[in-house]
């Protein structure tokens, strides 16, 4: 049987934490930043965790 491939799009967007949770970046922080407030941009700067419901689906894409 062939090796399973990691989904390239998921590989670029998500990272695993030490405890096995999946980290993601916030959207809306890449362009058109002039009209956003400092507070908005600061809050978008942090990483967030994927919701538990979505974890099994994403772990399949990341092939662990």
């Amino acid at each position: 049987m062939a090796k399973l491939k990691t989904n390239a799009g998921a590989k670029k967007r998500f990272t695993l934490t030490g405890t096995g949770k999946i980290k993601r970046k916030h959207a809306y922080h890449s362009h058109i930043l002039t009209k956003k407030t400092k507070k908005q941009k600061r809050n978008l700067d942090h990483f967030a965790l994927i919701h538990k419901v979505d974890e099994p689906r994403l772990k399949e894409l990341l092939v662990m």
Side-chain angles (χ1 to χ4, degrees), residues 26-57:
H26 284 280
Y28 307 111
H29 191 60
S30 57
H31 59 90
I32 314 176
L33 299 172
T34 51
K35 62 176 82 169
K36 292 174 185 138
T37 63
K38 285 181 185 179
K39 183 178 180 179
Q40 250 182 315
K41 290 184 275 191
R42 183 173 63 244
N43 288 335
L44 291 172
D45 200 29
H46 306 295
F47 282 94
L49 291 175
I50 294 295
H51 198 274
K52 279 185 182 178
V53 176
D54 299 321
E55 273 188 24
R57 189 164 39 100

